[in-house]
Amino acid sequence: MLFTLASATVCFASDGSDLNKQQKAATTFIDAFDGEPVPDYTAVSPLLSAKLNETLGEKGYDALQKAVKEKFGNLKEAKFFTFQRFDQADRVIYLASFSKEKSVVMIFQFDKQNKLTDFAFNANKPAENQEKK
């Protein structure tokens, strides 16, 4: 029983440590959308996987900031929502509010080295009733 408890504690500590690192990376990335001075790409690039770093690059990072601001506006707030652990990746999800869009889901996917491998921002629109009475 003691061994089971000790191993469970170690696993929870590992999850917590990974979550802390991943949340820090996600919030650094999110800071680019709040209208304040934008984190320089050199602050963001070490948080990215090699593949995402190559795909996104500094120009892509700048274009992403512009596209998000055009579509959603400036970030008003972002709140941590959930952490999902999978065999080969983890997801950290935030719920955000922007000046043009009230509800946006921000999804960040990380590899097992806690490097950001993918992200998606989706407007969370409520389902509309298709039938009008």
Side-chain angles (χ1 to χ4, degrees):
M1 171 122 170
L2 184 58
F3 177 73
T4 303
L5 181 60
S7 66
T9 302
V10 169
C11 291
F12 289 138
S14 174
D15 287 352
S17 175
D18 288 345
L19 174 59
N20 288 339
K21 290 174 186 171
Q22 293 169 6
Q23 279 187 295
K24 184 175 180 183
T27 56
T28 300
F29 205 82
I30 290 169
D31 284 345
F33 310 112
D34 64 4
E36 298 296 319
V38 176
D40 190 78
Y41 187 71
T42 57
V44 174
S45 64
L47 308 172
L48 310 178
S49 69
K51 184 176 180 181
L52 183 58
N53 209 343
E54 182 181 317
T55 303
L56 186 62
E58 190 168 359
K59 288 181 182 178
Y61 180 67
D62 292 340
L64 173 68
Q65 291 173 45
K66 289 176 186 169
V68 168
K69 287 186 181 188
E70 284 176 15
K71 185 172 184 175
F72 302 134
N74 284 330
L75 179 70
K76 291 172 136 184
E77 73 174 332
K79 293 186 178 185
F80 173 74
F81 178 66
T82 190
F83 171 68
Q84 298 173 319
R85 174 142 277 183
F86 300 99
D87 288 341
Q88 299 302 315
D90 298 333
R91 278 194 202 130
V92 177
I93 301 173
Y94 283 77
L95 299 178
S97 175
F98 287 79
S99 58
K100 294 180 182 177
E101 196 66 56
K102 189 164 63 170
S103 182
V104 176
V105 177
M106 303 176 88
I107 303 167
F108 300 92
Q109 184 167 299
F110 295 87
D111 62 17
K112 290 304 177 181
Q113 289 73 44
N114 296 315
K115 298 289 186 179
L116 183 63
T117 60
D118 203 1
F119 58 88
F121 305 148
N122 298 310
N124 190 20
K125 304 236 184 220
E128 294 181 16
N129 188 354
Q130 297 297 325
E131 284 184 42
K132 298 208 175 187
K133 296 182 180 182

